C-alpha cells in the first residue's frame, strides 16, 4: 500500500524522469510546441502535436520550421538558456505555422511556399537569439515576441495573401448559450495555431490540464476576465474582434496566476487582472494599428506579462513571489518554496545569536525606540543577570561567515543611562556576508575588537566584547543586516538561526528554534551542539536496513500491515551528500545533515508508510538535542483529508497547508550506548495521522525504532538488520 492520499512530492523527479526517457525527436519537438503554451514537458508538448496534425499542411511546415531552427542553433552552438525551455524553437515553430497559413491560398508553388517558410523561420530564430540575452538580463521571459514581430512584418508586405487566408477561415458568431460559450472557449485556444477548431482546442486544454491544474485554472480565470472585458467594450460601442485574440487572456492569466509567479492566495486575482489587461491591450492594438496583425497575435499577452513582472518582480513578499523553477509544474514549485519558506520564516540572511550566554531582546524589529523606517530590521541583545555567570559572558561572536569590511574601535563606553548622540553606532564591525548583504554589530566595548578590515571570520568566531558605546544607555549588542558596508545603510530582513528560548530567566532554555525572528522581550541563547548527539546523527551510513512490523488494534488503511511483515529500505547518498531512504515500492525520503540539525528535506510521492511516518516523527533533530529539549517543525505532508491531486490543487490557497509536529527529546546519547529518543505529536486532526510517535536513533544506522499511535491502534517498526553499503547507486 502506498503512502497517504495527500502525500505529494517535494521535487521535480517525475519531470526529470520524463526528460530522461524522452526520445531525441520528442525532446526537440515537444518543448518547441509546448513552449508556446508555457509547457516545458517534452511528452505533453508532443501531445500538442496531435492537435496540430489535424491540419497536415500546418504540421508539415511546423515540423520543417522546428528542424530548421534546431539545425541553426546547433550549427552556431546557440543554447536556449531561457527559463522556459524551448523558447527559441517555439518562436520558429509559430512562425512556420503563420507562414503556412499565409501562403495556403496565395497560389504559390510548393517550392516558393517552402522558401517563404524557411526565410520566416530563419529571421525569427535570428531575432529571438538576439533578443534572448537582453531580456534575460532584465529578468523578463522572451516568450514569443520575436514571432509576433516577424509575423507582423510578413503580413504587412503581403496584404493580399493575408486577406485570402482570412477569407478562408471559418469564424463563428458570438455565443449565446452555455454550450456555445464552452465551444468558443476551446476554439479560441486553437486560434494561437491558426486552427480555431474544437478538436485542437480540447487537445491544448488537455495538455495544459495534465501539466498543471493550477495553470489551467488561472488561465481559465484569465480567459473569463478577458471575455467579460471584451463584451463590456462591445456594449460601450467599441469595435473589438475579441474571439481571434481571446487566447491572449488565457496565456496572461496562466502566466501571472501560476507560472511566473508562485501560486498563492492572490494568484487568482493576478490571473483575472492579467486576462482583463490582455483584452484591453489587444483592443487598443486593434484600434491603434487597425490594418496590421498586432491586435491578433500573442503580443498583448506578452506585454501584459512583461509589465506585471517588471512591476511586481522586485517586490518579493509572502504573497507575491517569482517562480524560478519553470521547468517544474507550478504545484511542485509552490510546494518546494512554500514548505521551506514556512520552515525558515521567510527570506533574508540567516545569522546566529551574536552574544555568548543568555540575553533578552531589548528592542526587536520595528521597535519603538530606534528600529524604524529604513533601519527597522534589527535586534538588540541585552545580557540578563544569572546566578552563576559563565566564562563567555560579554563575548560577541560573528553572526555569520564573511569578510570584515569596516571597523570602528575608538569610542569610549558610556556610563549607564548616558548616550553619546554624536556617535550613533559607537564601536562597530561590519561583515560582508557570504550569503549576500552585510551584517553590522554596534555598541561594542572600546579597545576590544579583535578583527581587522579584510580578515575572514567564520560564524561563531570571537570578534569583540559587549559594550555601551555610541547611542546606547545600557550594555547591549545591536545586530542588523543591511544593503551596504557603511553603518547607515538601509537594513534587510534576516532570520535568527539555531537558538534557544525560555519563558523566563529562572527556567532552563529548552525550546529550540531552527530559524525565526524573536520579538521584543524574548529570552534567547545560542544553541551549541551536543557533541554526542551531533556525532550520532552525522554517523548515519548508507546501506540496506530491514525493519520488522508489529501491529495492534485498528489502523488507517494508509499504514495497514500484516503482523510479522518486514520492510526493506535502501539508504544512499546523492551528489549533494543528502541521504536518500528508498523503499521497495518506490518513493524516497531525503534527509540532509545541515549546519544545525539532521533535517528531512523532501518526501517524494508514493513512499511506503515507514518513510512518511519518519518524516512526521523526526522532521528535524537539532545537534543541540538533550533531554527535555522541545521544538516545532513543519513536515512535508499536506494537512488535508482530500485525495492527493485535489489536496495539492487547493493547498496554495490555504493558510496552513502542511502538517506540523511538536517534538520532545526524551533521551540523549551517552557513553553507555544509549541512543537519541524523540517523542512527537501532530497538530492536525486527520484520520490517517497518528497522534503520537516515538522514534529512536543510534550510531551508524540512524533511525532504529519507530512507533506510531493512532486513536484505535498502533504500528511499531523495529530495525532487525543493517548492512552498510556503497554511498551511491551504481
Amino acid at each position: 500500500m502506498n503512502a497517504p492520499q495527500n502525500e505529494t512530492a517535494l521535487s521535480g523527479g517525475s519531470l526529470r524522469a520524463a526528460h530522461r526517457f524522452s526520445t531525441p525527436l520528442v525532446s526537440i519537438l515537444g518543448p518547441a510546441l509546448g513552449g508556446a503554451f508555457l509547457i516545458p514537458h517534452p511528452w505533453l508538448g508532443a501531445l500538442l502535436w496531435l492537435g496540430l496534425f489535424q491540419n497536415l499542411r500546418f504540421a508539415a511546415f511546423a515540423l520543417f520550421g522546428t528542424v530548421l531552427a534546431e539545425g541553426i542553433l546547433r550549427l552556431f552552438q546557440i543554447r536556449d538558456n531561457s527559463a522556459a525551455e524551448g523558447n527559441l524553437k517555439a518562436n520558429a515553430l509559430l512562425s512556420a505555422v503563420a507562414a503556412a497559413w499565409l501562403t495556403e491560398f496565395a497560389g504559390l508553388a510548393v517550392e516558393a511556399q517552402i522558401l517563404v517558410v524557411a526565410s520566416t523561420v530563419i529571421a525569427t530564430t535570428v531575432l529571438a537569439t538576439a533578443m534572448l540575452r537582453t531580456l534575460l538580463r532584465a529578468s523578463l521571459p522572451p516568450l514569443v515576441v520575436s514571432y509576433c514581430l516577424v509575423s507582423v512584418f510578413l503580413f504587412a508586405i503581403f496584404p493580399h495573401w493575408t486577406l485570402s487566408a482570412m477569407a478562408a477561415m471559418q469564424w463563428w458568431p458570438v455565443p449565446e448559450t452555455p454550450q456555445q460559450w464552452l465551444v468558443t472557449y476551446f476554439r479560441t485556444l486553437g486560434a494561437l495555431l491558426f486552427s480555431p477548431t474544437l478538436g485542437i482546442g480540447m487537445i491544448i486544454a488537455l495538455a495544459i490540464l495534465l501539466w498543471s491544474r493550477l495553470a489551467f485554472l488561472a488561465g481559465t480565470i484569465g480567459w473569463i476576465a478577458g471575455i467579460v472585458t471584451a463584451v463590456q467594450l462591445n456594449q460601450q460601442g467599441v469595435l473589438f474582434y475579441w474571439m481571434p485574440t481571446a487566447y491572449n487572456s488565457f496565456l496572461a492569466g496562466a502566466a501571472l496566476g501560476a507560472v511566473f509567479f508562485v501560486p498563492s492566495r492572490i494568484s487568482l486575482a493576478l490571473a483575472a487582472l492579467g486576462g482583463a489587461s490582455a483584452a484591453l491591450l489587444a483592443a487598443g492594438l486593434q484600434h491603434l494599428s487597425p490594418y496590421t496583425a498586432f491586435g491578433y497575435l500573442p503580443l498583448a499577452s506578452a506585454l501584459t506579462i512583461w509589465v506585471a513582472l517588471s512591476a511586481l518582480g522586485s517586490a518579493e513578499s509572502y504573497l507575491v513571489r517569482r517562480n524560478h523553477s519553470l521547468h517544474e509544474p507550478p504545484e511542485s514549485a509552490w510546494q518546494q518554496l512554500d514548505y521551506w519558506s514556512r520552515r525558515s520564516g521567510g527570506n533574508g540572511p540567516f545569522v546566529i545569536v551574536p552574544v555568548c550566554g543568555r540575553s533578552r531582546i531589548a528592542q526587536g524589529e520595528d521597535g519603538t525606540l530606534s528600529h524604524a523606517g529604513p533601519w527597522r530590521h534589527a535586534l538588540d541583545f541585552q545580557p540578563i543577570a544569572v546566578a552563576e555567570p559563565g566564562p563567555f559572558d560579554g563575548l560577541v561572536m560573528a553572526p555569520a561567515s564573511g569578510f570584515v569590511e569596516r571597523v570602528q574601535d575608538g569610542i569610549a563606553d558610556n556610563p549607564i543611562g548616558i548616550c553619546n548622540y554624536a556617535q550613533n553606532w559607537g564601536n562597530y564591525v561590519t561583515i560582508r556576508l557570504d550569503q549576500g548583504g552585510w551584517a553590522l554589530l554596534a555598541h561594542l566595548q572600546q579597545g576590544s575588537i579583535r578583527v581587522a578590515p579584510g580578515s575572514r571570520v567564520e560564524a561563531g568566531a570571537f570578534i569583540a566584547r559587549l559594550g555601551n558605546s555610541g547611542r546606547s544607555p545600557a550594555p547591549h549588542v545591536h545586530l542588523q543586516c543591511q544593503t551596504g558596508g557603511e553603518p547607515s545603510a538601509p537594513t534587510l530582513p534576516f532570520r535568527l538561526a539555531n537558538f534557544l528560548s525560555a519563558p523566563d530567566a529562572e527556567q532552563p532554555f529548552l525550546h529550540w528554534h531552527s530559524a525565526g525572528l524573536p520579538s521584543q522581550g524574548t529570552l534567547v541563547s545560542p544553541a551549541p551542539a551536543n557533541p554526542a548527539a551531533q556525532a550520532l546523527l552525522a554517523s548515519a551510513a548508507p546501506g540496506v536496513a530491514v525493519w520488522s512490523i508489529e501491529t495492534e488494534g485498528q489502523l488507517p488503511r494508509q499504514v495497514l500491515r500484516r503482523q510479522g511483515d518486514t520492510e526493506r529500505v535502501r539508504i544512499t547518498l546523492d551528489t549533494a551528500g543528502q541521504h536518500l531512504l528508498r523503499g521497495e515500492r518506490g518513493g524516497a525520503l531525503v534527509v540532509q545533515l545541515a549546519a544545525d540539525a539532521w533535517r528531512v528535506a523532501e518526501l517524494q510521492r508514493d513512499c511506503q508508510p515507514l518513510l512518511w511516518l519518519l518524516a512526521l516523527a523526526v522532521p528535524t533533530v537539532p545537534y543541540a538535542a538533550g533531554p527535555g529539549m522541545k521544538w516545532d517543525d513543519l513536515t512535508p505532508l499536506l494537512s488535508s483529508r482530500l485525495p492527493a491531486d485535489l489536496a495539492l490543487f487547493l493547498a496554495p490557497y490555504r493558510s496552513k497547508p502542511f502538517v506540523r509536529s511538536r517534538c520532545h527529546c526524551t533521551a540523549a546519547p551517552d557513553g553507555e550506548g544509549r541512543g537519541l529518543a524523540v517523542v512527537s505529536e501532530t497538530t492536525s486532526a486527520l484520520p490517517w495521522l497518528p497522534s503520537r510517535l516515538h522514534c529512536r536513533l543510534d550510531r551508524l544506522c540512524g533511525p532504529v525504532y519507530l512507533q506510531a499511535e493512532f486513536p484505535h491502534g498502533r504500528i511499531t517498526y523495529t530495525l532487525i538488520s543493517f548492512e552498510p553499503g556503497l554511498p551511491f547507486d551504481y
Side-chain angles (χ1 to χ4, degrees):
M1 184 176 296
N2 292 334
Q5 286 184 336
N6 71 342
E7 180 182 341
T8 49
L10 283 174
S11 73
S14 60
L15 179 61
R16 290 192 293 267
H19 280 273
R20 188 182 307 121
F21 295 111
S22 62
T23 65
L25 185 62
V26 170
S27 65
I28 294 174
L29 300 182
L33 187 51
F37 296 95
L38 308 176
I39 302 175
H41 196 286
W43 286 103
L44 293 179
L47 174 63
L48 291 171
W49 280 88
L50 297 179
L52 191 58
F53 266 93
Q54 290 188 9
N55 188 318
L56 293 179
R57 186 172 182 277
F58 284 8
F61 279 115
L63 182 62
F64 169 69
T66 304
V67 173
L68 178 59
E70 179 71 15
I72 295 172
L73 297 178
R74 293 193 178 189
L75 177 63
F76 293 99
Q77 298 182 348
I78 300 171
R79 296 186 60 186
D80 184 359
N81 56 349
S82 58
E85 182 181 347
N87 180 267
L88 295 179
K89 292 191 287 290
N91 277 277
L93 183 148
L94 290 178
S95 294
V97 173
W101 173 81
L102 181 67
T103 59
E104 184 171 9
F105 300 98
L108 298 176
V110 175
E111 294 81 1
Q113 295 183 40
I114 294 176
L115 180 61
V116 171
V117 171
S119 301
T120 304
V121 169
I122 293 172
T124 303
T125 304
V126 171
L127 181 59
T129 303
M131 295 176 60
L132 181 63
R133 182 176 298 178
T134 301
L135 291 173
L136 293 180
R137 285 177 178 173
S139 298
L140 295 176
L143 301 174
V144 290
V145 175
S146 301
Y147 147 72
C148 294
L149 298 178
V150 172
S151 296
V152 167
F153 176 78
L154 187 66
F155 296 161
I157 63 175
F158 298 113
H160 299 296
W161 298 357
T162 305
L163 292 175
S164 300
M166 291 179 61
M169 292 191 72
Q170 296 181 356
W171 294 104
W172 58 100
V174 176
E176 297 179 355
T177 66
Q179 182 179 0
Q180 291 175 348
W181 276 107
L182 183 61
V183 172
T184 299
Y185 170 76
F186 290 117
R187 295 186 68 176
T188 55
L189 295 182
L192 178 58
L193 299 179
F194 296 87
S195 301
T197 64
L198 177 62
I200 192 171
M202 294 181 68
I203 291 176
I204 292 172
L206 176 62
I208 297 173
L209 188 61
L210 291 175
W211 165 244
S212 169
R213 270 64 66 192
L214 291 176
F216 181 82
L217 174 64
T220 301
I221 290 176
W223 185 88
I224 294 173
I227 297 305
V228 170
T229 302
V231 171
Q232 290 296 318
L233 290 175
N234 288 158
Q235 290 178 353
Q236 298 300 319
V238 177
L239 187 62
F240 177 31
Y241 299 104
W242 57 264
M243 281 183 284
T245 190
Y247 64 84
N248 277 283
S249 295
F250 184 95
L251 292 177
L256 300 182
V259 177
F260 293 112
F261 289 110
V262 176
S264 68
R265 285 171 288 179
I266 68 167
S267 63
L268 299 184
L270 281 177
L273 182 61
S277 300
L280 284 171
L281 189 55
L285 291 173
Q286 287 186 13
H287 281 266
L288 288 173
S289 187
Y291 302 108
T292 67
F294 276 117
Y296 302 92
L297 295 172
L299 191 60
S301 59
L303 294 178
T304 301
I305 294 168
W306 282 356
V307 170
L309 293 179
S310 299
L312 301 175
S314 60
E316 294 278 342
S317 68
Y318 181 71
L319 294 178
V320 181
R321 294 171 292 183
R322 282 290 295 269
N323 178 14
H324 300 288
S325 303
L326 297 180
H327 291 293
E328 300 179 2
E331 288 87 345
S332 298
W334 166 82
Q335 200 167 12
Q336 291 180 44
L337 179 62
D338 206 67
Y339 176 59
W340 283 101
S341 64
R342 288 176 185 268
R343 292 183 90 181
S344 63
N347 299 323
F350 292 91
V351 298
I352 63 173
V353 176
V355 180
C356 289
R358 303 173 178 183
S359 59
R360 174 183 281 105
I361 303 298
Q363 187 181 183
E365 188 177 52
D366 288 315
T368 57
L369 296 176
S370 57
H371 299 175
W375 306 280
R376 66 182 182 275
H377 304 295
L379 295 175
D380 285 345
F381 297 85
Q382 188 175 51
I384 58 176
V386 293
E388 297 179 359
F392 300 103
D393 288 346
L395 301 186
V396 177
M397 305 177 296
S401 300
F403 288 89
V404 176
E405 187 157 307
R406 296 193 181 194
V407 169
Q408 170 69 268
D409 195 23
I411 309 301
D413 285 81
N414 306 318
I416 299 298
I418 303 298
C419 289
N420 180 355
Y421 292 101
Q423 299 290 337
N424 188 28
W425 306 102
N427 301 308
Y428 65 83
V429 173
T430 59
I431 302 172
R432 179 163 48 86
L433 303 178
D434 295 343
Q435 306 172 60
W438 285 258
L440 169 70
L441 295 164
H443 311 304
L444 304 176
Q445 187 181 119
Q446 182 183 22
S448 70
I449 297 178
R450 294 294 180 265
V451 293
S455 61
R456 177 165 181 84
V457 293
E458 302 297 333
F462 167 62
I463 61 173
R465 289 189 175 275
L466 184 142
N468 192 36
S469 59
R471 187 177 173 181
S472 172
H476 75 283
V477 172
H478 174 96
L479 169 65
Q480 67 185 40
C481 291
Q482 52 191 44
T483 58
E486 63 279 5
S488 58
T491 58
L492 292 170
F494 66 93
R495 292 293 177 270
L496 204 62
N498 193 29
F499 66 97
L500 302 172
S501 68
D504 59 66
E506 303 300 324
Q507 299 189 37
F509 283 61
L510 292 176
H511 190 180
W512 180 77
H513 304 265
S514 171
L517 193 67
S519 58
Q520 184 167 316
T522 303
L523 303 180
V524 298
S525 172
N530 178 347
Q534 185 174 15
L536 182 149
L537 295 169
S539 70
V544 177
V546 179
W547 297 71
S548 67
I549 303 174
E550 297 180 8
T551 61
E552 300 178 35
Q554 298 180 351
L555 297 173
R557 63 182 181 85
Q558 289 87 353
V559 298
L560 187 60
R561 288 293 185 273
R562 292 182 301 177
Q563 185 79 7
D565 277 354
T566 60
E567 285 198 9
R568 182 184 175 93
V569 176
R570 180 175 176 80
I571 302 128
T572 58
L573 300 179
D574 66 7
T575 55
Q578 299 180 122
H579 288 68
L580 306 179
L581 284 68
R582 301 184 185 275
E584 293 179 301
R585 301 173 181 85
L589 177 69
V590 183
V591 176
Q592 62 178 207
L593 293 173
D596 60 337
W598 183 97
R599 180 174 286 112
V600 170
E602 184 178 309
L603 183 65
Q604 297 177 358
R605 185 187 292 267
D606 297 330
C607 283
Q608 58 196 56
L610 170 60
L611 298 182
W612 64 264
L613 288 173
L614 276 174
L616 283 173
V618 282
T620 303
V621 182
Y623 298 146
M629 183 173 292
K630 299 180 180 180
W631 63 92
D632 297 345
D633 198 8
L634 289 181
T635 71
L637 292 169
L638 295 180
S639 177
S640 175
R641 299 172 181 263
L642 300 173
D645 289 338
L646 185 57
L648 185 55
F649 174 71
L650 297 175
Y653 314 121
R654 301 181 57 198
S655 58
K656 297 180 180 180
F658 297 103
V659 175
R660 179 174 290 276
S661 287
R662 293 174 177 168
C663 305
H664 178 204
C665 180
T666 58
D670 56 20
E672 299 178 358
R674 183 171 58 177
L676 188 94
V678 177
V679 175
S680 303
E681 297 179 350
T682 57
T683 60
S684 301
L686 298 171
W688 55 271
L689 276 181
S691 57
R692 192 177 179 89
L693 301 104
H694 303 257
C695 183
R696 191 173 72 249
L697 302 94
D698 280 340
R699 279 185 177 270
L700 184 66
C701 304
V704 297
Y705 175 84
L706 177 65
Q707 183 180 85
E709 299 177 359
F710 295 87
H712 305 290
R714 69 175 62 178
I715 185 170
T716 304
Y717 295 87
T718 305
L719 184 69
I720 56 177
S721 71
F722 180 79
E723 179 182 353
L726 296 174
F728 305 107
D729 287 321
Y730 292 98

